[in-house]
Amino acid sequence: MSGADNVVWLGTPAFPEAARTALADRRLRANLRRATGTIRDKRLAATAELDDWEELRETAAALKRRTLRHLDQHLLRLEETVTAAGGTVHWASNAAEANAIVTRLVQATGESEVVKVKSMATQEIGLNEALAEAGVRAYETDLAELIVQLGGDRPSHILVPAIHRSRSEIREIFQRQMGKWGRPAPEGLTDDPRDLAEAARLHLREKFLRAKVAVSGANFAVADTGTVMVVESEGNGRMCLTLPQTLITVMGIEKVLPSFADLDVFLQLLPRSSTGERMNPYTSLWTGVTDGDGPQDFHLVLLDNGRTATLTDEVGRQALSCILCSACLNVCPVYERTGGHAYGSVYPGPIGAVLTPQLVGVENAASLPFASTLCGACYDACPVKIDIPEVLVHLRAKAVEAKRRDRLLPTSEALAMKAAGAVLSSPRLLAALERLAASGARLVARDGRIGVLPGPFARWSGTRDTPAPAREPLRAWWRRTRGEGRTTTEGTGR
Amino acid sequence: MRIALFITCFNDMMFPRTGQAVTELLERLGHTVEFPQGQTCCGQMHFNTGYRPETLPMVRRFAAVFAGYDAVVAPSGSCAGMVRDHHRVVAAQYGDAALAEAVEQVVPTVYELSELLVDVLGVTDVGACFPHRVTYHPTCHSLRMLRVGDRPLRLLRAVKGIDLVELPAVESCCGFGGTFALKNADVSNAMLADKMRHVQETGAEFLCAGDNSCLTHIGGGLSRLRTGVATLHLAEILASTEGDGR
Ligand code: SF4
């Protein structure tokens, strides 16, 4: 099993096809429009409050980039400090290794169930499925994650995994499924948010009080103190992090920060960017184990799973600065219309389009770097200034290169690009093409408009009229009315 | 000032009127405009679709053809952005030291039209007259790559007789995205539908932008639906004067 097998969901079609299905889903479209619209406005209001927002972004970006350059040192330091504080550090180079480590640790406790704090890293490695195979049941305790788990569904947003679900759907899932997983939903459950939250609360409370083992991810870990941090809104994470005897944290290696003071910057950026709040309701920090308080056995699993390979790419590695705030998803005009499932990956939206192909190899997610208009809204929203459009075009080049290398080219696109390249590099050929287009257009255009175009361009002309190419292109007009213009050797070159 | 017009391949073939408008406008403001006949394309389509090595001859040609002018003007935010942000990248990755140097020389002289007018020539009132209801779409690359800000709006506000109305959700992408419109045709259409709805909500006769590529996409949809809304490049509005009876 190559480490990154779970990052992409097998069987999901390439983005354009998956998107087509999503676009036809009326309910999904309405849910997404409402949810992303609300969170956009909230984020803008929350970020506008800080005069030094841009400086904070700069600082965070610089800090992350610098940390990634010396990642090895920070990780070794983290291992030292966590160990000194009574924790145990494990290194996992891929998903299979990480799953094996966690499974072994759970089995050593003799337990057959764990409660989980919402975590992208454990989703990335498919931990729940791996635990299930070993006979261990993993209960998601984040409300949205619970909805996804009970619904036998997949998350469609980093922060709000059930963003594609409406209240009435959630009520229906609770009524149908809760009983199969534990305490059933109360009689006469309505779709009032308060009622739904209460149902989840009762259902989960039973799990919290019984659990001996918890599994979490981490938002940050501090190398100089060995402190690990989880940021959340509900307090369900706090329950998992404090009540059980054993705590196992799976964390991507890029989450380490050099010093405790660095948290200052990120605790300002993260809540404002992700939920549009000044501060998130629950911030849990722990350093190893503390006698008589909280879990007495703490394990930190450091996960590579494609990250070291990503680090070697000078342009692409900035994606590892991501703090998973999901601002880029919320502002993305493509995500807003397709939702997360179309990306076929644990990491959807703009960040997914740049992270997933790097973690799994661009040839295994080749449609994702193209799932963007390059409008740049993501870059402007990103609190750590990841230039997502830059990475997207970089990965597009890599995708084409990979096809060339694997001799999958020439495709019809590659041939067209080659021909276009020749024409567009030569003023003589370009002028000839312009003449040809103008005379061809005269045959098919009506009132200066062309209705139907051939071949792949039918996808364009299905919904748009196209103006006919000009009878006299500018270069011809100029020559006729004003002569050659400047004529240098380059100027008249072929 | 001696200004070279980089018409861009797409405008050359499809919208020569835009190039003529830029020329009229700049000459009216007292400048000399030249059209180097050796010009072709900025390489944006190839670069953004992943065909990077193919852009090298275009980058090379651009740097040679447009060397030595006081300024180079492009009536396209995305092509100006391509030159400014990516020609260096191509030169560094596939070119040689001489090309890198040539690119370094030419890039700072390249401007999108509204940048040239406002920043370099220092004008916002260009003496235009356009007595129509107009709404303006900023286009993503002008907005977030070049960061032209409100320059085009300042120019439009100074146009005599214009009834300028703000486009709802003005900063959202129209869904064109170059080859995106073909590769992800369905998403592109979904975005286009919203943009057209917003345009129609304004009651404008004309949708104006600084990029004919986005306008071809939005205008193509508006035409197909027979909305009666026309699209017009910023340059053409700025070139209009009282006498030409538009
Ligand atoms: S890429 Fe930036 S905006 Fe997107 S989730 Fe990561 S940190 Fe947030």
Side-chain angles (χ1 to χ4, degrees):
Chain A
M1 180 173 174
S2 90
D5 281 350
N6 294 288
V7 180
V8 284
W9 301 325
L10 293 177
T12 309
F15 186 81
E17 287 90 274
R20 188 175 310 137
T21 313
L23 289 168
D25 186 334
R26 173 187 55 80
R27 189 141 62 167
L28 174 72
R29 297 285 299 275
N31 291 354
L32 283 167
R33 203 177 306 129
R34 195 171 330 110
T36 56
T38 313
I39 188 71
R40 276 181 204 179
D41 295 343
K42 273 183 83 180
R43 189 190 70 86
L44 282 178
T47 57
E49 279 180 358
L50 295 185
D51 296 335
D52 60 349
W53 183 253
E54 287 309 314
E55 285 153 46
L56 278 170
R57 288 177 74 211
E58 286 290 345
T59 310
L63 218 155
K64 274 286 188 183
R65 309 286 197 277
R66 203 169 344 111
T67 308
L68 288 172
R69 268 203 300 279
H70 307 288
L71 194 59
D72 51 342
Q73 292 165 29
H74 298 303
L75 287 169
L76 290 171
R77 176 86 184 119
L78 179 68
E79 179 178 37
E80 262 172 49
T81 52
V82 168
T83 310
T88 311
V89 173
H90 310 259
W91 300 81
S93 63
N94 58 35
E97 275 183 39
N99 285 330
I101 293 167
V102 178
T103 306
R104 186 164 43 73
L105 290 171
V106 176
Q107 282 170 338
T109 65
E111 294 294 318
S112 60
E113 57 180 47
V114 301
V115 285
K116 282 191 69 203
V117 184
K118 177 172 165 26
S119 133
M120 294 306 295
T122 60
Q123 265 175 36
E124 177 187 321
I125 59 176
L127 179 66
N128 293 4
E129 293 74 15
L131 285 175
E133 263 172 53
V136 177
R137 219 164 185 202
Y139 297 114
E140 294 292 347
T141 67
D142 172 86
L143 176 55
E145 217 51 91
L146 173 72
I147 296 165
V148 169
Q149 186 174 45
L150 293 179
D153 198 0
R154 273 174 168 153
S156 67
H157 188 279
I158 295 173
L159 197 78
V160 205
I163 197 169
H164 57 290
R165 294 292 196 189
S166 64
R167 282 192 285 161
S168 57
E169 289 175 283
I170 295 167
R171 182 182 75 109
E172 191 263 322
I173 292 169
F174 278 9
Q175 280 178 327
R176 190 161 38 85
Q177 293 294 332
M178 269 185 170
K180 297 182 192 159
W181 290 76
R183 180 170 171 154
E187 286 292 320
L189 180 67
T190 73
D191 66 359
D192 181 63
R194 223 194 285 209
D195 263 17
L196 294 173
E198 180 64 9
R201 194 169 159 271
L202 294 170
H203 179 82
L204 289 171
R205 184 81 20 146
E206 187 184 75
K207 307 266 187 286
F208 292 137
L209 295 176
R210 200 171 64 204
K212 296 280 183 291
V213 184
V215 176
S216 85
N219 290 94
F220 305 100
V222 179
D224 71 356
T225 60
T227 307
V228 182
M229 179 191 264
V230 163
V231 172
E232 41 128 11
S233 295
E234 296 169 356
N236 292 342
R238 172 75 56 85
M239 295 276 198
C240 299
L241 296 167
T242 50
L243 291 175
Q245 270 298 111
T246 302
L247 171 61
I248 305 166
T249 299
V250 183
M251 182 190 101
I253 51 173
E254 79 284 11
K255 297 276 173 245
V256 67
L257 290 175
S259 76
F260 199 83
D262 300 332
L263 292 172
D264 163 33
V265 183
F266 293 100
L267 281 179
Q268 295 184 70
L269 287 169
L270 181 54
R272 285 176 197 265
S273 298
S274 58
T275 50
E277 293 167 308
R278 291 179 184 144
M279 203 182 153
N280 52 286
Y282 291 87
T283 304
S284 303
L285 299 92
W286 67 98
T287 307
V289 293
T290 308
D291 244 352
D293 185 11
Q296 296 300 296
D297 197 11
F298 169 56
H299 297 270
L300 180 62
V301 183
L302 295 174
L303 176 72
D304 185 324
N305 209 31
R307 287 163 174 77
T308 311
T310 304
L311 265 181
T312 61
D313 185 325
E314 283 178 31
V315 179
R317 71 169 98 161
Q318 56 185 306
L320 292 178
S321 304
C322 177
I323 57 173
L324 292 174
C325 73
S326 69
C328 58
L329 278 63
N330 299 330
V331 300
C332 177
V334 175
Y335 178 90
E336 178 194 350
R337 289 169 178 87
T338 65
H341 291 160
Y343 293 79
S345 159
V346 168
Y347 299 102
I351 181 61
V354 294
L355 193 56
T356 304
Q358 299 199 80
L359 292 180
V360 303
V362 73
E363 62 282 1
N364 298 315
S367 70
L368 290 185
F370 296 91
S372 163
T373 61
L374 306 176
C375 85
C378 48
Y379 180 31
D380 279 9
C382 179
V384 287
K385 299 192 79 162
I386 300 172
D387 191 340
I388 294 176
E390 180 191 23
V391 183
L392 285 169
V393 290
H394 172 73
L395 294 174
R396 289 177 183 188
K398 285 187 117 179
V400 171
E401 217 173 88
K403 276 195 188 159
R404 256 194 258 264
R405 194 186 49 230
D406 300 342
R407 302 194 183 281
L408 296 173
L409 294 183
T411 57
S412 54
E413 176 187 284
L415 291 172
M417 284 289 171
K418 192 160 182 245
V423 171
L424 294 176
S425 303
S426 155
R428 190 175 53 81
L429 291 178
L430 182 55
L433 176 74
E434 286 167 353
R435 281 193 297 275
L436 196 70
S439 49
R442 238 164 288 157
L443 299 175
V444 292
R446 290 178 56 195
D447 304 329
R449 274 194 299 243
I450 302 173
V452 185
L453 290 171
F457 295 102
R459 262 175 268 167
W460 165 274
S461 66
T463 51
R464 309 166 190 86
D465 290 338
T466 308
R471 276 158 190 264
E472 186 176 48
L474 191 78
R475 71 180 65 239
W477 172 79
W478 197 286
R479 193 171 290 165
R480 180 172 61 78
T481 59
R482 300 166 175 243
E484 276 293 305
R486 185 176 71 158
T487 49
T488 63
T489 7
E490 295 85 15
T492 52
R494 292 156 43 86
Chain B
M1 220 180 208
R2 193 167 147 261
I3 302 166
L5 170 60
F6 172 44
I7 184 58
T8 80
C9 61
F10 182 68
N11 284 327
D12 184 17
M13 184 184 297
M14 305 295 290
F15 299 96
R17 175 66 207 128
T18 298
Q20 291 160 10
V22 174
T23 310
E24 281 165 35
L25 173 63
L26 293 176
E27 287 178 349
R28 194 167 81 211
L29 295 170
H31 301 281
T32 308
V33 184
E34 292 186 21
F35 184 88
Q37 288 278 344
Q39 63 178 285
T40 54
C41 166
C42 66
Q44 184 183 194
M45 176 179 74
H46 285 85
F47 188 87
N48 283 351
T49 314
Y51 292 81
R52 272 192 195 193
E54 284 83 347
T55 60
L56 180 65
M58 294 175 239
V59 171
R60 204 181 276 290
R61 172 167 287 279
F62 186 94
V65 166
F66 289 103
Y69 288 98
D70 297 331
V72 180
V73 65
S76 159
S78 62
C79 299
M82 169 69 200
V83 173
R84 195 174 294 164
D85 279 18
H86 299 318
H87 276 200
R88 281 193 190 94
V89 177
V90 176
Q93 206 172 346
Y94 304 103
D96 45 50
L99 178 62
E101 177 54 29
V103 167
E104 227 32 77
Q105 293 290 326
V106 79
V107 163
T109 67
V110 178
Y111 299 93
E112 178 273 339
L113 179 64
S114 72
E115 294 176 327
L116 178 82
L117 291 168
V118 176
D119 299 349
V120 183
L121 306 181
V123 286
T124 46
D125 185 348
V126 296
C129 174
F130 194 76
H132 298 280
R133 192 174 175 92
V134 174
T135 191
Y136 173 75
H137 170 59
T139 77
C140 300
H141 287 174
S142 294
L143 198 64
R144 285 179 282 260
M145 203 170 176
L146 295 177
R147 311 245 175 231
V148 303
D150 67 348
R151 288 176 186 83
L153 284 171
R154 275 149 67 194
L155 290 160
L156 285 172
R157 281 189 207 114
V159 171
K160 214 173 132 193
I162 197 168
D163 175 14
L164 192 62
V165 273
E166 196 186 326
L167 185 63
V170 62
E171 294 193 352
S172 38
C173 178
C174 68
F176 173 58
T179 47
F180 178 85
L182 297 178
K183 283 179 184 283
N184 282 285
D186 296 275
V187 187
S188 177
N189 275 322
M191 293 166 72
L192 172 60
D194 288 337
K195 187 56 81 179
M196 290 197 293
R197 178 165 50 79
H198 292 138
V199 170
Q200 288 183 273
E201 275 166 21
T202 65
E205 295 167 69
F206 290 96
L207 170 68
C208 169
D211 222 314
N212 278 327
S213 47
C214 308
L215 284 182
T216 304
H217 162 78
I218 311 171
L222 291 169
S223 165
R224 174 61 54 87
L225 298 182
R226 305 295 189 258
T227 58
V229 184
T231 51
L232 204 52
H233 192 282
L234 175 68
E236 295 175 53
I237 292 184
L238 297 181
S240 301
T241 49
E242 221 135 344
D244 43 60
R246 264 195 186 268

